[in-house]
Amino acid sequence: MSDDEHESKPARDRSQVTIIDIARMAGVSKKTVSRVINESPLVREETRKKVKEIIAETGFTPNPQARALAFRKSFLVGLVYDNPSPQYVVNMQRGILDTLGDTAFQLVLRPCDRGDENYRERVRSFIVQHKPHGIILTPSVSEDETLAEILREEECDYVRIASLELDVPSRSIRTHDAQGAEMAAAHLAQLGHKRIGHIHGPKTFRSAHERLSGFRSGLESYGLELAPELTVEGAYTFDSGVSSATRLLNRRDRPTAIFAGNDEMAVGVYVAARKAGLRIPEDLSIVGFDDTPISARIWPPLTTVRSPIREVGRAAADLLLKRGSGSENLEELQSFQLELIVRESTRSV
Amino acid sequence: MSDDEHESKPARDRSQVTIIDIARMAGVSKKTVSRVINESPLVREETRKKVKEIIAETGFTPNPQARALAFRKSFLVGLVYDNPSPQYVVNMQRGILDTLGDTAFQLVLRPCDRGDENYRERVRSFIVQHKPHGIILTPSVSEDETLAEILREEECDYVRIASLELDVPSRSIRTHDAQGAEMAAAHLAQLGHKRIGHIHGPKTFRSAHERLSGFRSGLESYGLELAPELTVEGAYTFDSGVSSATRLLNRRDRPTAIFAGNDEMAVGVYVAARKAGLRIPEDLSIVGFDDTPISARIWPPLTTVRSPIREVGRAAADLLLKRGSGSENLEELQSFQLELIVRESTRSV
DNA sequence: CTGAAAGCGCTTACAG
DNA sequence: CTGAAAGCGCTTACAG
């Protein structure tokens, strides 16, 4: 380096093909090449074809840094999340990456902590600085209306994933948790259980509310009532599952079945049952939610509700990428099938 | 839009502060401001201070897209991985993000599949197109010498995380798996076990080899031998743990303890033991490796080796960011303490 | 130690 | 439907 500072060597000078080379080879202007790249309809079909051929021959790919600078918008898609479950996070990432694939778009991770007072401002600075193409929000941050307002203020496109519709349809992906909980209720009702307990997640999570109300209405359609004294609040954690279940199982009128709001807590119920000397499923049936890997590895294998997280991630990214292309089919992108996975933790009374 | 195509609106025209504004306010040239931003030593202390003050006052942050274009190098750090364990992946991401924090650098995900013939070329196109600041490779892709060669060819900086040193020290982070396996061996030997089985990972993984040889030498230092007939190869999966353990436990001279190469397989050993009618730890002691969440939730809780994945991720990112700053301390960045977590799956014979 | 000019590779704004 | 000019906000290369 002739001058100073920057320590890292510049990338190899493999005289890269640029839009100028393509323009010259096709005998058109840069702008026309640019139009082809950006799929403008305002190019004669013949011209477009020629340019496309040359692009294919040369293997040219437009420089994303240059495009980002000119567009004032980068090719990053930000995932803003606070869900602590590794399985959930990884599945979501996989789904988004399925859609992003080998496009120019890159997935950038932005974990956050709602406990941090500045968390919203951190998201804002990310947006202002990096001008992402869009943001995908998962529960529970997706439920933060103030954050959504900030994104709108900064004119950043986004999609909110949640258990119910929180925003306009084009910015929402619903996960239909209530429906999954209904399936759990039907299963237990059909097995003849009457005294059924439920450990729901923290009330600050919409999913906890949706699963609770879905479970309740599911029981009601079988003429059963979800007894208030058998409905307790957990924290979606293993430990809270243990303590909540211990409370339920210590009652003289203990339930014969417990539906836990997620698998983590369901596994906690196993521990509480063992401590109480109860056999699963002979003395206690257990249903979880999420179908995390542990549900198939624990003994006995856990009956649980599978939520198609990866598909949800795929759909969220689709929504972002297809925006305005007219090809998005909101209906299709927003209908997910939950599934009850019946294993060996449930049995008829 | 006056002309055509691009559907998304340009970002808000909040006349953003640029390097020109800062230069004007400080009464210096753009280049001098640039020098301050890039921490060039070639600026008079007084000038630097003044510029820094103005930067702080205005809240100016240099535009990463513009810098990337001019530098021919982006502010992305790519994580290239193929490890299927969600827990591992998430911990690694967390560690890297700990270091990246609120810097201009962003973490970009590049999962890959070594089964895919083109996987190396996909990594190459990512690099050529996005010109990342650096790449972090985790096992097993980190062990692919051909891939490393491609990165060097493209002059892309990288750090390889592996259970042994595969590259020059400044591009390596060692995880010392052998040492962890030695601790497992010592633990079982001290409990008086003599007939000890080992289910190791696939031979294509260096970690499998390291854990095996560490375990063997650990036993040897207690005068014990790892019997070849009690050493079987698994696939690091739950199912392979079940089948490998079944084979070991069906022997008439079955082992009194099994060390599994990871927790996934260790959990498989639980299932095989249950099927064989063996109690844990009364009839069989089990030790795992990784300390994944399931190890504390399964019954009885699993004794396992904890590998500080998050710290490893932190160190890898440190190595990348501090490159050339002279402040990196290779020694320190590469010494990790593994820890044996003794739970209830092991007992003396 | 500092600066004026040219350039990174694209797109926008305008004109035809 | 197409193009020449200006610009995105920085850094490099050169000069002093």
Side-chain angles (χ1 to χ4, degrees):
Chain A
M1 272 168 287
S2 71
D3 183 39
D4 42 318
E5 56 263 302
H6 208 61
E7 66 280 349
S8 53
K9 278 187 290 182
R12 173 160 49 151
D13 199 10
R14 52 148 77 217
S15 52
Q16 217 194 309
V17 182
T18 73
I19 199 173
I20 295 190
D21 302 309
I22 305 295
R24 189 157 28 210
M25 295 170 77
V28 297
S29 72
K30 278 164 47 176
K31 180 53 190 166
T32 297
V33 177
S34 170
R35 284 194 179 89
V36 172
I37 294 171
N38 292 297
E39 306 196 305
S40 162
L42 306 176
V43 182
R44 206 161 22 122
E45 194 44 50
E46 205 182 329
T47 315
R48 177 196 314 285
K49 203 181 148 198
K50 172 140 193 198
V51 172
K52 282 203 164 179
E53 272 170 13
I54 293 180
I55 288 179
E57 277 170 28
T58 56
F60 165 74
T61 31
N63 178 316
Q65 285 82 42
R67 297 183 84 193
L69 181 58
F71 269 143
R72 293 162 192 80
K73 195 170 209 65
S74 75
F75 287 82
L76 305 180
V77 169
L79 175 61
V80 173
Y81 61 102
D82 64 336
N83 186 321
S85 157
Q87 188 63 42
Y88 180 91
V89 169
V90 164
N91 282 340
M92 183 59 63
Q93 293 173 351
R94 284 280 169 180
I96 297 171
L97 288 164
D98 285 341
T99 296
L100 265 38
D102 287 324
T103 67
F105 294 100
Q106 298 297 318
L107 176 59
V108 158
L109 257 34
R110 301 296 307 180
C112 57
D113 173 11
R114 291 186 77 171
D116 174 3
E117 278 202 2
N118 296 316
Y119 105 88
R120 296 190 188 95
E121 289 309 317
R122 286 181 204 281
V123 175
R124 190 202 295 271
S125 3
F126 167 67
I127 291 169
V128 171
Q129 266 193 63
H130 291 276
K131 306 176 183 62
H133 181 84
I135 295 284
I136 294 172
L137 303 141
T138 68
S140 71
V141 273
S142 61
E143 297 160 5
D144 183 347
E145 193 51 41
T146 311
L147 179 60
E149 179 56 35
I150 287 177
L151 299 183
R152 272 176 252 127
E153 239 174 81
E154 302 295 345
E155 294 186 7
C156 175
D157 195 7
Y158 64 83
V159 171
R160 293 163 80 174
I161 295 169
S163 51
L164 70 172
E165 195 160 301
L166 296 170
D167 210 305
V168 295
S170 65
R171 286 171 164 172
S172 301
I173 296 279
R174 285 196 53 185
T175 53
H176 303 285
D177 292 40
Q179 184 190 313
E182 277 182 42
M183 297 166 74
H187 176 61
L188 291 174
Q190 284 162 10
L191 290 174
H193 290 276
K194 308 285 182 204
R195 292 203 58 74
I196 303 177
H198 177 45
I199 303 173
H200 58 81
K203 288 204 178 122
T204 49
F205 284 67
R206 297 298 192 117
S207 66
H209 180 263
E210 289 298 300
R211 291 172 189 188
L212 167 60
S213 65
F215 190 62
R216 177 179 288 133
S217 72
L219 289 182
E220 280 169 2
S221 62
Y222 279 83
L224 296 173
E225 190 210 8
L226 180 60
E229 69 274 16
L230 295 185
T231 307
V232 300
E233 176 168 344
Y236 273 158
T237 63
F238 172 71
D239 289 337
S240 74
V242 178
S243 58
S244 302
T246 302
R247 228 179 314 150
L248 287 175
L249 299 177
N250 279 343
R251 297 179 65 90
R252 71 185 61 212
D253 59 348
R254 63 172 173 77
T256 61
I258 292 180
F259 169 50
N262 68 359
D263 287 353
E264 272 291 293
M265 295 197 296
V267 172
V269 179
Y270 276 64
V271 172
R274 192 181 313 105
K275 284 187 186 159
L278 299 173
R279 293 162 304 161
I280 304 167
E282 292 82 352
D283 305 318
L284 181 69
S285 285
I286 304 178
V287 179
F289 203 115
D290 289 341
D291 191 35
T292 50
I294 198 173
S295 60
R297 289 162 179 45
I298 200 168
W299 188 260
L302 175 68
T303 294
T304 186
V305 177
R306 177 181 297 164
S307 188
I309 308 298
R310 184 165 176 170
E311 283 83 340
V312 168
R314 221 175 272 161
D318 268 337
L319 208 52
L320 228 38
L321 297 200
K322 290 183 181 164
R323 190 78 86 202
S325 73
S327 69
E328 73 257 47
N329 182 337
L330 289 183
E331 288 286 315
E332 194 189 319
L333 284 178
Q334 287 161 359
S335 65
F336 295 102
Q337 285 307 317
L338 289 157
E339 195 182 346
L340 181 74
I341 311 292
V342 178
R343 296 205 180 91
E344 303 174 41
S345 65
T346 45
R347 157 178 308 194
S348 56
V349 278
Chain B
M1 271 166 286
S2 68
D3 185 39
D4 44 321
E5 57 261 301
H6 208 61
E7 68 281 348
S8 54
K9 279 186 290 183
R12 174 160 48 153
D13 198 10
R14 51 147 80 216
S15 52
Q16 217 193 306
V17 182
T18 74
I19 200 175
I20 295 190
D21 302 310
I22 304 295
R24 190 160 26 210
M25 294 171 77
V28 297
S29 71
K30 278 161 50 174
K31 179 55 190 167
T32 297
V33 177
S34 171
R35 284 193 178 90
V36 172
I37 293 170
N38 293 297
E39 305 195 307
S40 161
L42 306 178
V43 182
R44 206 163 19 123
E45 194 44 50
E46 204 180 331
T47 314
R48 176 194 317 283
K49 202 180 149 200
K50 173 141 193 197
V51 172
K52 283 204 161 178
E53 271 171 13
I54 293 180
I55 288 179
E57 276 170 27
T58 57
F60 165 75
T61 31
N63 179 316
Q65 284 83 42
R67 298 182 83 193
L69 180 58
F71 269 143
R72 293 162 194 76
K73 197 171 207 62
S74 75
F75 287 83
L76 304 180
V77 170
L79 175 62
V80 173
Y81 62 104
D82 65 335
N83 187 322
S85 157
Q87 187 63 42
Y88 180 90
V89 169
V90 164
N91 281 340
M92 183 58 65
Q93 293 172 353
R94 284 280 169 181
I96 297 171
L97 287 163
D98 285 341
T99 296
L100 265 39
D102 288 323
T103 67
F105 294 100
Q106 298 297 317
L107 176 58
V108 158
L109 257 33
R110 300 299 305 182
C112 55
D113 172 11
R114 291 186 78 171
D116 174 3
E117 278 202 2
N118 296 315
Y119 104 88
R120 297 190 186 94
E121 289 309 317
R122 286 182 204 281
V123 174
R124 190 203 294 271
S125 5
F126 167 67
I127 290 169
V128 170
Q129 267 194 60
H130 291 276
K131 305 176 182 65
H133 182 83
I135 294 284
I136 294 172
L137 303 141
T138 67
S140 70
V141 275
S142 61
E143 297 159 6
D144 182 348
E145 193 52 41
T146 311
L147 179 60
E149 178 56 36
I150 287 177
L151 299 183
R152 273 176 249 126
E153 238 174 81
E154 302 295 345
E155 294 186 8
C156 175
D157 195 7
Y158 65 84
V159 171
R160 294 164 79 174
I161 295 169
S163 51
L164 70 174
E165 195 160 301
L166 297 170
D167 211 308
V168 296
S170 65
R171 287 172 164 172
S172 302
I173 296 280
R174 285 196 54 185
T175 53
H176 304 285
D177 292 40
Q179 183 191 313
E182 276 181 43
M183 297 165 76
H187 176 61
L188 292 173
Q190 284 163 11
L191 290 174
H193 290 277
K194 308 283 182 205
R195 293 202 58 71
I196 302 178
H198 177 45
I199 304 173
H200 57 82
K203 287 205 177 121
T204 49
F205 284 67
R206 297 297 193 117
S207 66
H209 180 263
E210 289 299 299
R211 291 173 191 187
L212 167 60
S213 67
F215 190 62
R216 176 179 288 131
S217 74
L219 289 182
E220 280 168 2
S221 64
Y222 279 83
L224 297 174
E225 190 208 8
L226 180 58
E229 68 275 16
L230 296 184
T231 305
V232 299
E233 175 168 344
Y236 272 160
T237 63
F238 171 72
D239 289 337
S240 73
V242 178
S243 58
S244 302
T246 302
R247 229 181 312 153
L248 287 176
L249 298 178
N250 279 343
R251 297 179 64 91
R252 72 185 60 216
D253 59 347
R254 65 173 173 75
T256 62
I258 293 180
F259 169 50
N262 68 359
D263 287 353
E264 273 290 293
M265 295 198 295
V267 173
V269 179
Y270 275 63
V271 173
R274 193 180 315 105
K275 285 187 185 160
L278 299 173
R279 293 163 303 162
I280 305 165
E282 291 81 355
D283 305 317
L284 180 70
S285 285
I286 304 177
V287 179
F289 203 113
D290 290 340
D291 192 36
T292 50
I294 198 172
S295 61
R297 287 158 178 49
I298 200 168
W299 187 261
L302 175 67
T303 295
T304 187
V305 178
R306 177 181 296 165
S307 188
I309 309 298
R310 185 166 177 169
E311 282 84 338
V312 168
R314 221 175 274 162
D318 268 338
L319 208 51
L320 229 37
L321 297 200
K322 291 184 180 162
R323 193 76 88 203
S325 74
S327 69
E328 74 256 47
N329 182 336
L330 288 183
E331 288 286 316
E332 194 188 319
L333 284 178
Q334 289 162 357
S335 65
F336 295 101
Q337 285 307 318
L338 289 157
E339 196 183 344
L340 181 73
I341 311 291
V342 178
R343 295 205 179 91
E344 302 173 42
S345 65
T346 45
R347 157 177 310 193
S348 57
V349 278

